[in-house]
Amino acid sequence: MMKRKFTKQETSWMYYDWASNAFSMIITTAIFPIFYKAQATAAGVEAADSTAYLGYTIAIFTFILAMIGPVLGTIADYEGYKKRFFVSFLLLGLISTFSLIFVPEGEWLLLLILFTLASLGLTGANLFYDAFIIDVTENKRMNKVSARGFGYGYIGGAIPFLISIAIILLAQEGIIPISSTTASKIAFLIAVIWWAIFSIPMIKNVKQIHGIKREPNPIRTSFRRLKETVTSIRQYKHLTIFLIAYFFYIDGVGTIISMSTAYGTDVGLSATVLLVVLFVTQIVAAPFAILYGRLADRFSAKLMLNIGVFIYIIVCIYGYFLETALDFWILAMLVATSQGGLQALSRSYFAKLIPKHKSNEFFGFYNIFGKFASVTGPVLMGVTTQLTGKSNAGVLSLIVLFIIGAIVLSFVPSDKKLLNEQNAKLNIS
């Protein structure tokens, strides 16, 4: 039997991962944190303090989105609203990222403010992007489509990242007549252009299929609907348990991703080594994300989620003993095997649990748990780092999040079982 190809809508949706990962790689993970650390150091800020301030900043913008996500999601469930919210946050992210280019040297606080707005734009757009998965594909294809999106994302992040690395290294060697600061700002511009251009297929081809008919006073009605969902969410037993598990393990994943370069800098690794390691991580992560999707279809998404969480427990332990560049390479490759798969399958598993016509509202709660988790993780790492004076102790402190996540995850059913139950209901009806 011939395998079914991806539809135009599925492919366009997946390519937004390709687009947005330029920001995730250049701004969130790699070049901006190094650039920020250099600017903060030049302004006289201690290394441990600047790392902690970055963690607190990440906590602030994720807290903001966690608070407004469910409200915006509930409004966006009305027909035609989902795309509007997606585009609005996309524009916020693009404009704020572009503004980073014009920040004067040494203005580390202004950098953090613009980083907050840019990250709010990215994560806000991602909330509605994730919710669009129920509009572009069906339940039995969600693992494959979600994982393929993450796979595309890693490659889409690696290409502009490679171009940026080349410019920065050539500037450092004096081959091109610009400073390292200017080279980093060119990288920010590359992220903006890449993100904007490859978002076009998503904007053009992906439409909202599932939604609620528009009503008078949609904002007031949305608050009422949100209240009703909050009071009745206990009826969704499996969904509630999964969200609790997700809260803990995704906390650790997000913190490790966003704080990795700051951590590497604190243990003495050069910017060049960090950039090369992160580029290779992107390349390795792409096929592993797709592999997770295939293995989830063969076995179950729940099993693969457990495997991913276990690997991150190993990462936390190994990170505590990290001393050399080789150790950082090993740690990065371990992360590469599982970070995309863990996120992709969390998204697809959750999408199978929710009512399709209320996808934005429920992905708002998904966002709450994910973003509130991203508040506690960086704060936990930041406080531990400042109290001990050691970044590796901060990494080790994250292990408790993965252990709790694994325990709670054991109480949710296999997605294979859920799919069989759904098919049985359809056959009966």
Side-chain angles (χ1 to χ4, degrees):
M1 183 177 178
M2 183 179 294
K3 291 185 178 180
R4 177 179 163 186
K5 295 181 179 180
F6 293 109
T7 66
K8 183 178 182 179
Q9 289 73 29
E10 288 173 338
T11 303
S12 297
W13 180 85
M14 290 186 291
Y15 265 103
Y16 181 72
D17 258 322
W18 171 284
S20 64
N21 221 41
F23 179 98
S24 298
M25 194 62 195
I26 293 173
I27 306 298
T28 304
T29 306
I31 296 174
F32 175 81
I34 295 173
F35 178 80
Y36 154 74
K37 291 280 289 183
Q39 296 296 312
T41 299
V45 181
E46 294 293 328
D49 288 334
S50 63
T51 298
Y53 295 149
L54 180 60
Y56 300 149
T57 300
I58 294 169
I60 289 170
F61 78 73
T62 50
F63 177 81
I64 292 171
L65 191 65
M67 295 302 295
I68 66 175
V71 176
L72 296 179
T74 307
I75 299 172
D77 275 325
Y78 288 114
E79 295 176 349
Y81 276 63
K82 187 186 294 189
K83 181 70 69 67
R84 296 181 188 180
F85 280 100
F86 170 78
V87 173
S88 296
F89 276 100
L90 174 61
L91 289 175
L92 173 63
L94 291 172
I95 294 170
S96 301
T97 305
F98 184 69
S99 299
L100 290 171
I101 299 170
F102 304 101
V103 176
E105 289 195 38
E107 296 291 336
W108 60 273
L109 182 58
L110 181 56
L111 283 174
L112 289 181
I113 292 171
L114 290 174
F115 174 66
T116 299
L117 294 174
S119 300
L120 185 61
L122 175 80
T123 52
N126 280 346
L127 186 161
F128 300 102
Y129 163 69
D130 287 341
F132 265 116
I133 192 173
I134 61 100
D135 296 297
V136 300
T137 193
E138 52 196 11
N139 282 1
K140 65 182 180 181
R141 290 173 59 81
M142 282 184 182
N143 290 336
K144 184 182 297 182
V145 171
S146 184
R148 182 63 64 96
F150 268 92
Y152 282 6
Y154 286 121
I155 301 301
I159 296 172
F161 180 52
L162 178 60
I163 297 171
S164 300
I165 288 178
I167 293 172
I168 291 171
L169 293 181
L170 290 173
Q172 289 175 346
E173 296 296 324
I175 298 174
I176 54 177
I178 59 174
S179 66
S180 295
T181 298
T182 301
S184 296
K185 291 185 177 182
I186 291 174
F188 302 160
L189 179 61
I190 290 171
V192 171
I193 294 172
W194 188 277
W195 187 10
I197 290 175
F198 290 105
S199 295
I200 294 173
M202 172 76 182
I203 296 171
K204 182 180 178 181
N205 300 322
V206 174
K207 308 296 182 184
Q208 182 177 357
I209 304 300
H210 302 284
I212 298 171
K213 294 292 183 182
R214 298 188 190 185
E215 302 173 289
N217 302 315
I219 296 179
R220 186 197 311 169
T221 306
S222 294
F223 275 99
R224 177 177 53 79
R225 286 175 37 231
L226 181 61
K227 180 181 178 181
E228 291 172 355
T229 299
V230 170
T231 56
S232 64
I233 198 169
R234 285 179 294 179
Q235 297 176 9
Y236 303 94
K237 177 183 176 182
H238 299 324
L239 184 148
T240 304
I241 295 173
F242 173 74
L243 282 177
I244 295 171
Y246 176 75
F247 173 89
F248 286 102
Y249 72 71
I250 210 64
D251 186 356
V253 172
T255 304
I256 288 173
I257 291 172
S258 61
M259 301 294 288
S260 59
T261 50
Y263 171 53
T265 300
D266 288 350
V267 297
L269 299 181
S270 69
T272 302
V273 170
L274 286 172
L275 293 177
V276 172
V277 172
L278 290 169
F279 171 73
V280 176
T281 300
Q282 290 288 106
I283 301 301
V284 173
F288 273 98
I290 296 172
L291 178 62
Y292 260 75
R294 292 182 177 177
L295 292 176
D297 282 342
R298 182 172 180 179
F299 300 103
S300 74
K302 180 184 175 181
L303 173 62
M304 298 310 300
L305 287 172
N306 279 309
I307 290 173
V309 170
F310 176 73
I311 290 174
Y312 266 96
I313 290 174
I314 297 175
V315 165
C316 292
I317 296 172
Y318 194 88
Y320 180 74
F321 298 100
L322 186 147
E323 294 180 352
T324 67
L326 177 60
D327 290 331
F328 196 81
W329 272 99
I330 295 172
L331 196 68
M333 294 306 102
L334 281 173
V335 169
T337 64
S338 298
Q339 71 175 24
L342 198 54
Q343 293 174 91
L345 295 183
S346 296
R347 179 170 64 187
S348 61
Y349 184 92
F350 181 78
K352 295 171 187 175
L353 295 174
I354 62 177
K356 294 186 183 299
H357 66 285
K358 301 174 73 175
S359 64
N360 293 287
E361 180 178 346
F362 276 85
F363 266 102
F365 286 105
Y366 182 78
N367 178 73
I368 272 189
F369 280 78
K371 298 312 175 188
F372 267 132
S374 296
V375 171
T376 56
V379 170
L380 174 63
M381 183 173 175
V383 170
T384 305
T385 298
Q386 284 192 305
L387 289 176
T388 62
K390 297 179 180 179
S391 296
N392 55 353
V395 173
L396 183 63
S397 69
L398 300 177
I399 193 172
V400 65
L401 304 174
F402 292 108
I403 292 175
I404 295 174
I407 293 172
V408 179
L409 190 62
S410 66
F411 292 96
V412 301
S414 165
D415 52 309
K416 292 279 189 180
K417 179 181 178 181
L418 291 174
L419 188 59
N420 290 336
E421 290 175 353
Q422 291 171 358
N423 290 336
K425 290 180 180 178
L426 288 175
N427 292 333
I428 292 173
S429 60

